[in-house]
Amino acid sequence: MTLYDRFGRPVTNLRISLTQECNFRCFFCHREGQRFLAKNEMKPEEIERLVKIASRLGIRKVKLTGGEPTVREDILEIVGRIKPYVKDLSMTTNGSRLKELAKPLAKAGLDRVNVSLHSLRPEVYRRITGVDMLDVVLEGIEEAVKYLSPVKLNMTVMRGLNDDEIWDMIEFSAKTGAILQLIELEAPREMTETAFFRKYFYPLKPLERELEKKAAEIRERRMHRRKKYFVPTRYGIAEVEVVRAMHNTVFCANCTRLRVTSDGKFKTCLLRNDDLTDFLTAMRTGASDEELVDIFRSAVLKREPYWR
C-alpha cells in the first residue's frame, strides 16, 4: 500500500526530527521548520510505533534529524528500535559526535549519514556554526566513511561567505569518498525580500550549467528530480548533487516526504506552518493503530506543492 496526496504524489519517506536541541549555533538554521522550541520530545517507543505504522502504509525510508539527533543519549536505542521496519535508515548530523558514534550507529542499524559541512576554512566554519570544531567534524567524517555508506556532505552555499569554496569542497568529497550535496539557502515566500536572504542567497542554477559541462556523467534522482553530476577531479570522480528548492516547481512536484516534528506532529512542508497534525496526543491517550492510520492519512491529504 502506498499513500498518495491530492496531487497524486506518493509518500514514501518520513523525515523525523528527534529534538530541537543542538550543540552548534548555525546562524541560518531553520530548525526543520519548527519555529518554537519544543521540549515535549517523543520517546523511543513512540518513535518505534510511528515507524511501524508507517511501514504498513508503504513507507520504508526514514531520515532522523533535529536539532542535532546525536545529542539524545538514547540515539542508539532509537536507531535499533526502528531499523526492523525500514529498508533505508539515515540521519543528518553536524558530525560533532561521529568519531565516537559512527561504528555504534552502524551496528545499531543506521545505513547512511548526511553531515553538515559548510566550509573547510576554520574561521568561516566558526562564523557559520558558532563553534570551533572543524577538526573534530573532519575526524568524524573520516570515521563515518568506514562504517556508513554513502556519507553525504551537506554544504549550504551562501554568497560572500563560502561560495568561493565550492570547487574545493568538490575535490574534498572525491578525496574522502563522500557525496557532496550543494544546497541553496531556503526561506518561505514572506522572507525572500528580507535583507538577510538577499545578502546570503546564492543561486545554484548557473553552477549547474558549469557542472553539466565538466561532468563525465549525469544522472537524475527520482526524488525532487535532482541531478547527480559525476565530476573528474585530481582525486578521482566526485559525485555532486544540487538541491535547488527555491521557486522550483519541479522540486515540489516530485516531493515524496512527510515530516514529523520533535513534539509529535506531522508537518507537510519545511516552509509551511499552517499544516501541523498532532498524533502524539492521540498516541498517549490510548489511540489504536487504526485511529493513528486515519490521522496519518489526514496529514497526507494536507500536502500540497509549496512552489507551483
Side-chain angles (χ1 to χ4, degrees):
M1 179 194 298
T2 301
L3 293 177
Y4 289 86
D5 64 21
R6 293 171 296 127
F7 297 85
R9 300 179 303 170
V11 176
T12 59
N13 63 90
L14 282 185
R15 187 179 178 100
I16 304 175
S17 179
L18 299 182
T19 182
Q20 284 189 284
E21 300 294 332
C22 188
N23 53 350
F24 281 23
R25 300 182 300 277
C26 299
F27 73 88
F28 65 94
C29 181
H30 52 54
R31 292 185 180 276
E32 292 292 325
Q34 285 185 252
R35 292 184 179 175
F36 305 103
L37 195 61
K39 294 288 186 182
N40 185 29
E41 294 175 354
M42 293 181 287
K43 299 170 185 170
E45 60 270 22
E46 293 166 340
I47 299 167
E48 178 186 5
R49 188 178 177 198
L50 168 67
V51 172
K52 183 179 180 180
I53 291 169
S55 71
R56 286 175 42 192
L57 300 171
I59 296 172
R60 304 299 301 277
K61 187 174 180 180
V62 170
K63 184 177 289 287
L64 303 175
T65 183
E68 172 51 43
T70 64
V71 301
R72 282 194 60 151
E73 293 302 317
D74 54 4
I75 185 61
L76 295 176
E77 178 188 353
I78 292 169
V79 169
R81 278 177 174 268
I82 65 180
K83 178 56 181 176
Y85 306 105
V86 300
K87 290 180 179 176
D88 182 0
L89 180 56
S90 61
M91 177 189 293
T92 64
T93 176
N94 57 32
S96 60
R97 297 192 65 205
L98 267 184
K99 187 176 180 181
E100 63 190 276
L101 283 178
K103 187 175 181 179
L105 281 168
K107 190 174 180 181
L110 192 70
D111 295 305
R112 55 192 181 88
V113 70
N114 290 54
V115 186
S116 298
L117 184 67
H118 308 297
S119 177
L120 293 170
R121 301 195 298 250
E123 69 282 2
V124 177
Y125 188 87
R126 190 184 312 114
R127 184 178 167 193
I128 293 172
T129 64
V131 298
D132 190 13
M133 293 183 69
L134 178 58
D135 288 345
V136 173
V137 172
L138 294 180
E139 289 176 359
I141 291 168
E142 193 176 316
E143 191 72 3
V145 295
K146 297 177 187 175
Y147 303 105
L148 299 160
S149 180
V151 173
K152 291 190 176 184
L153 307 177
N154 288 359
M155 179 189 186
T156 299
V157 184
M158 290 168 279
R159 184 190 303 278
L161 200 55
N162 63 356
D163 58 301
D164 61 341
E165 289 190 73
I166 291 173
W167 293 99
D168 289 340
M169 197 70 81
I170 289 173
E171 294 265 340
F172 177 78
S173 68
K175 185 179 179 181
T176 55
I179 296 171
L180 178 62
Q181 288 197 135
L182 298 169
I183 304 170
E184 274 187 348
L185 190 67
E186 287 186 74
R189 295 182 189 93
E190 64 271 17
M191 295 286 289
T192 56
E193 294 305 315
T194 62
F196 173 88
F197 189 78
R198 287 202 305 269
K199 179 179 180 180
Y200 289 112
F201 179 71
Y202 184 87
L204 292 178
K205 195 167 186 178
L207 175 69
E208 283 205 271
R209 288 194 285 266
E210 202 172 342
L211 289 170
E212 281 176 10
K213 292 175 186 174
K214 296 189 175 184
E217 182 186 355
I218 301 172
R219 298 178 196 165
E220 188 175 84
R221 286 187 58 187
R222 182 179 176 189
M223 185 175 180
H224 298 147
R225 301 289 292 275
R226 289 185 208 166
K227 297 283 179 60
K228 291 167 71 79
Y229 301 92
F230 295 82
V231 182
T233 77
R234 57 183 167 156
Y235 298 107
I237 298 292
E239 191 172 336
V240 183
E241 294 184 23
V242 177
V243 182
R244 195 168 51 80
M246 292 301 293
H247 301 283
N248 189 341
T249 56
V250 173
F251 185 93
C252 288
N254 291 278
C255 180
T256 57
R257 174 185 294 153
L258 184 64
R259 294 170 176 268
V260 179
T261 66
S262 59
D263 56 348
K265 296 179 177 68
F266 290 120
K267 179 176 169 59
T268 68
C269 178
L270 172 68
L271 301 180
R272 289 181 61 194
N273 269 291
D274 60 347
D275 61 340
L276 299 176
T277 303
D278 182 4
F279 68 84
L280 189 58
T281 300
M283 187 181 282
R284 289 181 174 176
T285 52
S288 66
D289 283 2
E290 287 68 29
E291 289 170 317
L292 293 173
V293 166
D294 288 340
I295 295 172
F296 216 120
R297 291 182 190 279
S298 69
V300 169
L301 290 176
K302 287 183 181 180
R303 293 180 86 241
E304 58 182 70
Y306 188 81
W307 302 110
R308 53 180 168 141

